[in-house]
Amino acid sequence: MTERSGFLFCADPLRASRPDPQFADDLAAARAADGRITLLDHDALLAGDTAGAVARVARDSGPYWYRGWMIPSARYAELETALGARGCSLLTDAVGYRRAHELPGWYEEFDGLTPKSVWRAAVPGDPPPSADELAGLAAPLGPGPGIVKDFVKSRKHEWDEACYVPELADRKQLASMVGRFVELQGDFLAGGLVLRTFEPFVAGGEARVWWVDGEAVLVTAHPDTPDRRPVPELPSVREAVGRLGLRWVTTDLALREDGVWRVVEVGDGQVSGLPAGAETGELFAALAAAVAR
């Protein structure tokens, strides 16, 4: 059994013996790269049943890339432990996953390339910070518009309700927006609260760049705008990805109105979405080759 190309895909929640059809194209690309496919029960993992989640993973079957739905960082650590008990491993360990998946983990390496940000830890069920606490948190960002999100996601589809703050220095407005964001996120609040300065981008959409061992192996559209595929400038981003030092990550880039390319988000490649119709052969070939290094 080769260690060259192990891929751990989510199982179909309706039939655990087959892969989740949402990842059919990725699965085909992994197989074309001579990939060894194993299934993970994602629902069982999220429910805390780690033994059940990895029951289909053969013992001592080598290292794996995970490819599937997002996993909270704490659950990913449990997955790593469960696989280790079966003599297996993840090519992105739990520490690396959290660094790429949550903004505080990657922000320092991309400082100057991404909107200025501040944050504070929080867990689901915590009350929103007071207006005074939020004013103190936002102070380093200065006056002007901003964005509210958690460590992983924003609610950009509720832009005026729970995402965009017209004036961060307006204490009442900021508290109202953060409160609504926390309410809507509910049990899905990830890591804590983030405030970011708002930067105006052109309407050309975002580019998602897929990096394997520090090299950009694929550039796609963002899944939210699959019909738009800008061509970003990558040298400074490549340097930041190199400093981050993680094996499979994505960067979402947008062109600011002044003509400067900016990093909107960084993500773990294992759980980053692809736009419909993306050709992923080169990506999975690179991942298969990377396992051997």
Side-chain angles (χ1 to χ4, degrees), residues 164-189:
Y164 176 69
V165 184
E167 176 51 67
L168 289 168
D170 185 325
R171 294 157 61 99
K172 182 178 179 180
Q173 189 177 74
L174 177 59
S176 175
M177 189 66 66
V178 170
R180 183 58 174 154
F181 174 81
V182 170
E183 178 186 2
L184 290 174
Q185 283 297 84
D187 291 341
F188 296 99
L189 183 73

mmCIF file of all heavy atoms in Angstrom, residues 164-189:
data_model
loop_
_atom_site.group_PDB
_atom_site.id
_atom_site.type_symbol
_atom_site.label_atom_id
_atom_site.label_comp_id
_atom_site.label_asym_id
_atom_site.label_seq_id
_atom_site.Cartn_x
_atom_site.Cartn_y
_atom_site.Cartn_z
ATOM 1 N N TYR A 164 -21.290 44.730 7.707
ATOM 2 C CA TYR A 164 -20.655 46.018 7.405
ATOM 3 C C TYR A 164 -21.036 47.070 8.444
ATOM 4 O O TYR A 164 -22.221 47.304 8.700
ATOM 5 C CB TYR A 164 -21.082 46.483 6.020
ATOM 6 C CG TYR A 164 -20.561 47.848 5.627
ATOM 7 C CD1 TYR A 164 -19.211 48.046 5.378
ATOM 8 C CD2 TYR A 164 -21.426 48.936 5.505
ATOM 9 C CE1 TYR A 164 -18.729 49.294 5.012
ATOM 10 C CE2 TYR A 164 -20.956 50.186 5.137
ATOM 11 C CZ TYR A 164 -19.606 50.358 4.892
ATOM 12 O OH TYR A 164 -19.139 51.597 4.530
ATOM 13 N N VAL A 165 -19.999 47.681 9.039
ATOM 14 C CA VAL A 165 -20.192 48.761 10.007
ATOM 15 C C VAL A 165 -19.808 50.067 9.328
ATOM 16 O O VAL A 165 -18.625 50.282 9.035
ATOM 17 C CB VAL A 165 -19.331 48.545 11.268
ATOM 18 C CG1 VAL A 165 -19.632 49.619 12.301
ATOM 19 C CG2 VAL A 165 -19.556 47.158 11.850
ATOM 20 N N PRO A 166 -20.738 50.969 9.047
ATOM 21 C CA PRO A 166 -20.390 52.212 8.337
ATOM 22 C C PRO A 166 -19.365 53.072 9.059
ATOM 23 O O PRO A 166 -18.562 53.750 8.423
ATOM 24 C CB PRO A 166 -21.744 52.928 8.214
ATOM 25 C CG PRO A 166 -22.759 51.834 8.261
ATOM 26 C CD PRO A 166 -22.193 50.820 9.213
ATOM 27 N N GLU A 167 -19.365 53.028 10.405
ATOM 28 C CA GLU A 167 -18.407 53.843 11.166
ATOM 29 C C GLU A 167 -18.052 53.107 12.460
ATOM 30 O O GLU A 167 -18.867 52.967 13.366
ATOM 31 C CB GLU A 167 -18.990 55.219 11.479
ATOM 32 C CG GLU A 167 -18.096 56.094 12.336
ATOM 33 C CD GLU A 167 -16.669 56.181 11.795
ATOM 34 O OE1 GLU A 167 -16.477 56.764 10.708
ATOM 35 O OE2 GLU A 167 -15.762 55.658 12.482
ATOM 36 N N LEU A 168 -16.811 52.630 12.523
ATOM 37 C CA LEU A 168 -16.366 51.885 13.702
ATOM 38 C C LEU A 168 -16.352 52.739 14.957
ATOM 39 O O LEU A 168 -16.467 52.214 16.071
ATOM 40 C CB LEU A 168 -14.970 51.313 13.450
ATOM 41 C CG LEU A 168 -14.876 50.154 12.453
ATOM 42 C CD1 LEU A 168 -13.423 49.891 12.074
ATOM 43 C CD2 LEU A 168 -15.511 48.896 13.026
ATOM 44 N N ALA A 169 -16.193 54.051 14.813
ATOM 45 C CA ALA A 169 -16.153 54.930 15.973
ATOM 46 C C ALA A 169 -17.539 55.208 16.544
ATOM 47 O O ALA A 169 -17.652 55.782 17.631
ATOM 48 C CB ALA A 169 -15.468 56.249 15.609
ATOM 49 N N ASP A 170 -18.587 54.793 15.830
ATOM 50 C CA ASP A 170 -19.953 54.956 16.325
ATOM 51 C C ASP A 170 -20.253 53.781 17.250
ATOM 52 O O ASP A 170 -20.564 52.670 16.808
ATOM 53 C CB ASP A 170 -20.926 54.982 15.141
ATOM 54 C CG ASP A 170 -22.366 55.269 15.555
ATOM 55 O OD1 ASP A 170 -22.773 54.823 16.657
ATOM 56 O OD2 ASP A 170 -23.091 55.905 14.769
ATOM 57 N N ARG A 171 -20.149 53.998 18.548
ATOM 58 C CA ARG A 171 -20.234 52.924 19.528
ATOM 59 C C ARG A 171 -21.578 52.182 19.455
ATOM 60 O O ARG A 171 -21.623 50.958 19.505
ATOM 61 C CB ARG A 171 -20.013 53.486 20.932
ATOM 62 C CG ARG A 171 -18.613 54.028 21.159
ATOM 63 C CD ARG A 171 -18.588 55.045 22.294
ATOM 64 N NE ARG A 171 -19.007 54.473 23.552
ATOM 65 C CZ ARG A 171 -18.179 54.057 24.506
ATOM 66 N NH1 ARG A 171 -16.862 54.160 24.328
ATOM 67 N NH2 ARG A 171 -18.622 53.583 25.634
ATOM 68 N N LYS A 172 -22.644 52.931 19.333
ATOM 69 C CA LYS A 172 -23.973 52.307 19.297
ATOM 70 C C LYS A 172 -24.128 51.450 18.049
ATOM 71 O O LYS A 172 -24.637 50.323 18.102
ATOM 72 C CB LYS A 172 -25.050 53.391 19.345
ATOM 73 C CG LYS A 172 -26.471 52.838 19.363
ATOM 74 C CD LYS A 172 -27.490 53.966 19.467
ATOM 75 C CE LYS A 172 -28.918 53.409 19.460
ATOM 76 N NZ LYS A 172 -29.926 54.510 19.555
ATOM 77 N N GLN A 173 -23.679 51.980 16.939
ATOM 78 C CA GLN A 173 -23.777 51.255 15.673
ATOM 79 C C GLN A 173 -22.931 49.982 15.701
ATOM 80 O O GLN A 173 -23.376 48.905 15.282
ATOM 81 C CB GLN A 173 -23.308 52.186 14.544
ATOM 82 C CG GLN A 173 -23.534 51.669 13.140
ATOM 83 C CD GLN A 173 -23.089 52.725 12.128
ATOM 84 O OE1 GLN A 173 -21.893 52.920 11.933
ATOM 85 N NE2 GLN A 173 -24.040 53.409 11.525
ATOM 86 N N LEU A 174 -21.726 50.079 16.223
ATOM 87 C CA LEU A 174 -20.839 48.925 16.295
ATOM 88 C C LEU A 174 -21.416 47.852 17.208
ATOM 89 O O LEU A 174 -21.427 46.665 16.861
ATOM 90 C CB LEU A 174 -19.459 49.368 16.795
ATOM 91 C CG LEU A 174 -18.431 48.255 17.002
ATOM 92 C CD1 LEU A 174 -18.170 47.493 15.710
ATOM 93 C CD2 LEU A 174 -17.129 48.833 17.548
ATOM 94 N N ALA A 175 -21.906 48.251 18.372
ATOM 95 C CA ALA A 175 -22.472 47.281 19.307
ATOM 96 C C ALA A 175 -23.684 46.588 18.719
ATOM 97 O O ALA A 175 -23.881 45.380 18.906
ATOM 98 C CB ALA A 175 -22.830 47.977 20.619
ATOM 99 N N SER A 176 -24.499 47.328 17.993
ATOM 100 C CA SER A 176 -25.685 46.745 17.372
ATOM 101 C C SER A 176 -25.302 45.711 16.325
ATOM 102 O O SER A 176 -25.876 44.613 16.271
ATOM 103 C CB SER A 176 -26.535 47.852 16.741
ATOM 104 O OG SER A 176 -27.630 47.300 16.031
ATOM 105 N N MET A 177 -24.316 46.037 15.500
ATOM 106 C CA MET A 177 -23.899 45.118 14.433
ATOM 107 C C MET A 177 -23.259 43.859 15.014
ATOM 108 O O MET A 177 -23.563 42.735 14.577
ATOM 109 C CB MET A 177 -22.924 45.816 13.492
ATOM 110 C CG MET A 177 -22.598 45.029 12.242
ATOM 111 S SD MET A 177 -24.011 44.828 11.130
ATOM 112 C CE MET A 177 -24.292 46.532 10.617
ATOM 113 N N VAL A 178 -22.393 44.012 16.008
ATOM 114 C CA VAL A 178 -21.751 42.858 16.631
ATOM 115 C C VAL A 178 -22.788 41.982 17.327
ATOM 116 O O VAL A 178 -22.749 40.750 17.236
ATOM 117 C CB VAL A 178 -20.656 43.307 17.615
ATOM 118 C CG1 VAL A 178 -20.162 42.122 18.444
ATOM 119 C CG2 VAL A 178 -19.498 43.954 16.868
ATOM 120 N N GLY A 179 -23.741 42.615 18.007
ATOM 121 C CA GLY A 179 -24.776 41.850 18.678
ATOM 122 C C GLY A 179 -25.592 41.018 17.709
ATOM 123 O O GLY A 179 -25.903 39.848 17.989
ATOM 124 N N ARG A 180 -25.924 41.603 16.584
ATOM 125 C CA ARG A 180 -26.697 40.853 15.585
ATOM 126 C C ARG A 180 -25.872 39.736 14.968
ATOM 127 O O ARG A 180 -26.375 38.634 14.718
ATOM 128 C CB ARG A 180 -27.186 41.808 14.498
ATOM 129 C CG ARG A 180 -28.071 41.173 13.439
ATOM 130 C CD ARG A 180 -29.298 40.534 14.044
ATOM 131 N NE ARG A 180 -30.215 40.052 13.001
ATOM 132 C CZ ARG A 180 -31.081 39.058 13.169
ATOM 133 N NH1 ARG A 180 -31.158 38.443 14.354
ATOM 134 N NH2 ARG A 180 -31.867 38.692 12.188
ATOM 135 N N PHE A 181 -24.597 40.001 14.733
ATOM 136 C CA PHE A 181 -23.716 38.961 14.202
ATOM 137 C C PHE A 181 -23.650 37.774 15.157
ATOM 138 O O PHE A 181 -23.794 36.617 14.747
ATOM 139 C CB PHE A 181 -22.312 39.520 13.955
ATOM 140 C CG PHE A 181 -21.311 38.476 13.553
ATOM 141 C CD1 PHE A 181 -21.242 38.031 12.247
ATOM 142 C CD2 PHE A 181 -20.445 37.922 14.492
ATOM 143 C CE1 PHE A 181 -20.336 37.045 11.869
ATOM 144 C CE2 PHE A 181 -19.537 36.946 14.130
ATOM 145 C CZ PHE A 181 -19.481 36.505 12.811
ATOM 146 N N VAL A 182 -23.435 38.044 16.431
ATOM 147 C CA VAL A 182 -23.348 36.976 17.424
ATOM 148 C C VAL A 182 -24.663 36.199 17.485
ATOM 149 O O VAL A 182 -24.676 34.963 17.566
ATOM 150 C CB VAL A 182 -22.992 37.557 18.802
ATOM 151 C CG1 VAL A 182 -23.136 36.498 19.900
ATOM 152 C CG2 VAL A 182 -21.574 38.110 18.794
ATOM 153 N N GLU A 183 -25.765 36.906 17.415
ATOM 154 C CA GLU A 183 -27.074 36.252 17.449
ATOM 155 C C GLU A 183 -27.251 35.311 16.260
ATOM 156 O O GLU A 183 -27.697 34.165 16.411
ATOM 157 C CB GLU A 183 -28.175 37.316 17.451
ATOM 158 C CG GLU A 183 -29.591 36.732 17.432
ATOM 159 C CD GLU A 183 -30.662 37.807 17.289
ATOM 160 O OE1 GLU A 183 -30.311 39.006 17.172
ATOM 161 O OE2 GLU A 183 -31.851 37.442 17.270
ATOM 162 N N LEU A 184 -26.897 35.765 15.075
ATOM 163 C CA LEU A 184 -27.092 34.950 13.878
ATOM 164 C C LEU A 184 -26.106 33.783 13.816
ATOM 165 O O LEU A 184 -26.457 32.692 13.357
ATOM 166 C CB LEU A 184 -26.964 35.814 12.621
ATOM 167 C CG LEU A 184 -28.095 36.816 12.391
ATOM 168 C CD1 LEU A 184 -27.782 37.704 11.198
ATOM 169 C CD2 LEU A 184 -29.428 36.109 12.182
ATOM 170 N N GLN A 185 -24.887 33.976 14.266
ATOM 171 C CA GLN A 185 -23.915 32.891 14.270
ATOM 172 C C GLN A 185 -24.311 31.792 15.249
ATOM 173 O O GLN A 185 -24.137 30.606 14.980
ATOM 174 C CB GLN A 185 -22.518 33.416 14.618
ATOM 175 C CG GLN A 185 -21.805 34.145 13.492
ATOM 176 C CD GLN A 185 -21.526 33.273 12.291
ATOM 177 O OE1 GLN A 185 -22.395 33.096 11.430
ATOM 178 N NE2 GLN A 185 -20.334 32.701 12.236
ATOM 179 N N GLY A 186 -24.831 32.185 16.392
ATOM 180 C CA GLY A 186 -25.294 31.206 17.371
ATOM 181 C C GLY A 186 -24.228 30.178 17.701
ATOM 182 O O GLY A 186 -23.080 30.518 18.022
ATOM 183 N N ASP A 187 -24.594 28.904 17.602
ATOM 184 C CA ASP A 187 -23.670 27.813 17.939
ATOM 185 C C ASP A 187 -22.535 27.665 16.937
ATOM 186 O O ASP A 187 -21.602 26.882 17.171
ATOM 187 C CB ASP A 187 -24.431 26.485 18.021
ATOM 188 C CG ASP A 187 -25.366 26.430 19.219
ATOM 189 O OD1 ASP A 187 -25.176 27.222 20.158
ATOM 190 O OD2 ASP A 187 -26.302 25.602 19.208
ATOM 191 N N PHE A 188 -22.598 28.393 15.814
ATOM 192 C CA PHE A 188 -21.560 28.277 14.792
ATOM 193 C C PHE A 188 -20.477 29.344 14.927
ATOM 194 O O PHE A 188 -19.594 29.434 14.072
ATOM 195 C CB PHE A 188 -22.187 28.335 13.393
ATOM 196 C CG PHE A 188 -23.105 27.183 13.104
ATOM 197 C CD1 PHE A 188 -24.484 27.330 13.222
ATOM 198 C CD2 PHE A 188 -22.598 25.946 12.756
ATOM 199 C CE1 PHE A 188 -25.331 26.257 12.967
ATOM 200 C CE2 PHE A 188 -23.437 24.867 12.497
ATOM 201 C CZ PHE A 188 -24.812 25.029 12.613
ATOM 202 N N LEU A 189 -20.541 30.156 15.986
ATOM 203 C CA LEU A 189 -19.484 31.137 16.209
ATOM 204 C C LEU A 189 -18.147 30.410 16.355
ATOM 205 O O LEU A 189 -17.985 29.527 17.190
ATOM 206 C CB LEU A 189 -19.775 31.941 17.476
ATOM 207 C CG LEU A 189 -18.772 33.053 17.792
ATOM 208 C CD1 LEU A 189 -18.951 34.221 16.831
ATOM 209 C CD2 LEU A 189 -18.937 33.537 19.233
#
